[in-house]
Amino acid sequence: MKIKDITSLLEKHAPLSTQESYDNSGLIVGDSDTEISGVLISLDCVESVIDEAIAKGCNLVISHHPIVFKGLKKINGKNYVERTVIKAIKNDIALYAIHTNLDNYRFGVNAKIGELIGLKNLKILSPVKGKLYKLVFFSPIEHSESVKTAVFQAGAGHIGDYSACSFTSEGTGTFAPEEDANPFIGEQGRLEKVQEHKVEMLVPDYAISSVLNAMKSAHPYEEVAYDLIPLANENNHQGAGM
C-alpha cells in the first residue's frame, strides 16, 4: 500500500478543500508514491513522535495538528518545528495532517466527542456556505438515467441524509452539427430537434472535477451542454461545532 492510498481514503471523507483558510492539512513531508511500512497516529507531530515512528518502523505519521502552519523560511533546527521536519526527512518519514477538514466533517472530531459524552441528535452548529454548486445537464431521454447514475457515484446529488437527489424535466433541444463535428445524433449542416431531459442536482465543491469527468464519460454527446452554478446554500454536512 502506498501513502496516496491512505490519504485518498481520508480525503474522501474529509476533503482538503474543507479545511479553514489558516490551516495546512495534507501531506506536509514525503512522497505520496512511497510504499508504507507502518503508520503512527498522533494528536501532534513533534520530535518524540518521530522517534517513536523510527522505533516502531513506521514511515508515515498521521497527526491531527500540522507541524507546519506557516511557511518555513529557514530549516536549520533552531526550533522544534524545524527539528521535527529535519528528523522526518532524514529518516524518510512522511508527515500528514488532517486537521480542520476533519473538524468540519459531519462524522469527524466533534461528532466523535459528542458521541463519547452521550450527546443525542447531533447537528453542525455553523454550516459552511458557498461550497455547493448546482449542476444542470441536458441528455437524450433514453440516456439520462445512465448519466445520472454516473454522476451520483462520483459524488453529486446529496441533500442532508438523502442521496441520489435530482430533478428532471422534459423539453426539446436543438442543434446543428457543423463541418468538423462528429454527432451522435443528426447530420452535419442540418438542424436537429431532440426530446431531452434537463437534470438538476447539487454538487459539493470538492467533487466538481470527478462529477464533470463522470458526466462527460457517460454522456453520449460529443459536446455536453451543462451549467455549473455557485449557490449560497448552507452545506449541513460541513461546518464548525456540534
Side-chain angles (χ1 to χ4, degrees), residues 6 36-64 93-97:
I6 285 187
I36 294 174
S37 61
V39 181
L40 188 68
I41 297 175
S42 66
L43 177 63
D44 291 296
C45 182
V46 293
E47 291 172 88
S48 59
V49 172
I50 304 301
D51 291 334
E52 184 177 351
I54 295 169
K56 293 184 175 179
C58 300
N59 65 345
L60 172 62
V61 173
I62 298 176
S63 65
H64 185 48
I93 295 174
L95 307 181
Y96 183 88

Side-chain angles (χ1 to χ4, degrees), residues 1-232:
M1 181 178 287
K2 295 183 177 182
I3 290 174
K4 63 184 178 183
D5 297 321
I6 285 187
T7 58
S8 294
L9 179 62
L10 294 174
E11 291 166 18
K12 179 180 178 181
H13 297 284
L16 293 178
S17 65
T18 64
Q19 67 181 300
E20 299 295 335
S21 59
Y22 62 81
D23 202 7
N24 190 36
S25 293
L27 187 61
I28 296 171
V29 171
D31 182 351
S32 61
D33 282 319
T34 300
E35 291 286 340
I36 294 174
S37 61
V39 181
L40 188 68
I41 297 175
S42 66
L43 177 63
D44 291 296
C45 182
V46 293
E47 291 172 88
S48 59
V49 172
I50 304 301
D51 291 334
E52 184 177 351
I54 295 169
K56 293 184 175 179
C58 300
N59 65 345
L60 172 62
V61 173
I62 298 176
S63 65
H64 185 48
H65 299 129
I67 181 62
V68 178
F69 264 106
K70 299 179 180 179
L72 298 179
K73 294 184 178 180
K74 297 179 181 178
I75 305 179
N76 50 32
K78 291 293 181 68
N79 56 55
Y80 82 94
V81 173
E82 294 174 10
R83 291 193 296 270
T84 301
V85 171
I86 290 171
K87 183 173 288 190
I89 293 173
K90 281 185 175 180
N91 291 276
D92 292 322
I93 295 174
L95 307 181
Y96 183 88
I98 181 167
H99 187 210
T100 54
N101 51 324
L102 190 60
D103 290 336
N104 288 337
Y105 175 44
R106 184 186 178 199
F107 301 110
V109 174
N110 294 319
K112 181 56 64 175
I113 293 174
E115 176 187 320
L116 289 172
I117 64 176
L119 298 182
K120 304 295 183 183
N121 302 319
L122 294 172
K123 293 183 180 180
I124 288 174
L125 293 177
S126 181
V128 297
K129 298 178 181 179
K131 296 285 188 178
L132 286 174
Y133 287 73
K134 177 186 280 190
L135 172 64
V136 182
F137 67 84
F138 302 83
S139 169
I141 291 174
E142 61 272 21
H143 291 274
S144 62
E145 287 301 319
S146 59
V147 180
K148 281 198 291 185
T149 298
V151 294
F152 288 153
Q153 292 174 347
H158 288 273
I159 301 178
D161 292 322
Y162 296 85
S163 59
C165 302
S166 68
F167 184 83
T168 302
S169 52
E170 187 174 333
T172 302
T174 65
F175 56 89
E178 296 185 354
E179 184 177 349
D180 293 329
N182 183 25
F184 175 74
I185 298 173
E187 300 176 4
Q188 293 178 348
R190 177 180 174 182
L191 182 66
E192 298 292 337
K193 295 182 179 180
V194 181
Q195 290 303 109
E196 294 182 330
H197 276 158
K198 176 184 179 182
V199 182
E200 306 174 55
M201 61 185 65
L202 295 181
V203 181
D205 62 344
Y206 58 82
I208 288 174
S209 179
S210 58
V211 166
L212 293 182
N213 287 336
M215 177 193 70
K216 292 174 183 178
S217 296
H219 203 287
Y221 284 175
E222 182 181 22
E223 297 287 347
V224 183
Y226 70 93
D227 301 321
L228 190 62
I229 306 166
L231 303 175

